[in-house]
Amino acid sequence: MSIIGVGIDVAEVERFGASLARTPALAGRLFLESELLLPGGGRRGVASLAARFAAKEALAKALGAPAGLLWRDAEVYVEDNGQPRLRVTGTVAARAAELGVASWHVSLSHDAGIASAVVIAEG
């Protein structure tokens, strides 16, 4: 296996939250319902959503940032052990297949008002 691409992104939590508040439909354009909800029910907080947004940006960068990728074709989910994972479909899966991506590695963080994510595409 070899690394095909690496992406990193940061998002200012307060600014991201203001964008969601200003444009209520934005959350539905960026995230699947499963990403908006906590495993036990309830809604994810803005810091967690900002980290997921950063992961989607980092994923696009790992794929070379081609035009035409759809936000909702990438899902950030968490395994039972708490490890974040990526599930790709549609436009994102097509680009990943074109590049030979076989697996993903993702790390999310948020602290001091900044959310960050790193994505590694491996083939």
Side-chain angles (χ1 to χ4, degrees):
M1 292 266 187
S2 63
I3 293 176
I4 292 173
V6 177
I8 186 170
D9 196 68
V10 298
E12 186 180 343
V13 174
E14 186 176 325
R15 183 175 174 204
F16 186 75
S19 293
L20 291 176
R22 188 173 49 253
T23 311
L26 182 60
R29 290 196 309 262
L30 296 175
F31 303 108
L32 297 169
E33 190 66 21
S34 60
E35 293 174 296
L36 296 171
L37 299 175
L38 292 167
R43 306 288 279 183
R44 282 196 194 280
V46 68
S48 180
L49 291 176
R52 281 159 173 71
F53 176 72
K56 292 181 182 215
E57 287 277 356
L59 169 64
K61 291 173 183 176
L63 293 175
L69 297 181
L70 300 177
W71 295 108
R72 292 171 49 96
D73 285 351
E75 177 187 9
V76 179
Y77 68 97
V78 179
E79 292 187 335
D80 291 339
N81 65 5
Q83 185 174 357
R85 294 285 189 194
L86 290 170
R87 182 176 296 124
V88 299
T89 59
T91 59
V92 177
R95 176 62 176 168
E98 183 180 303
L99 295 174
V101 176
S103 63
W104 301 99
H105 306 276
V106 61
S107 180
L108 308 175
S109 185
H110 48 81
D111 188 32
I114 301 293
S116 63
V118 174
V119 171
I120 299 171
E122 191 173 30

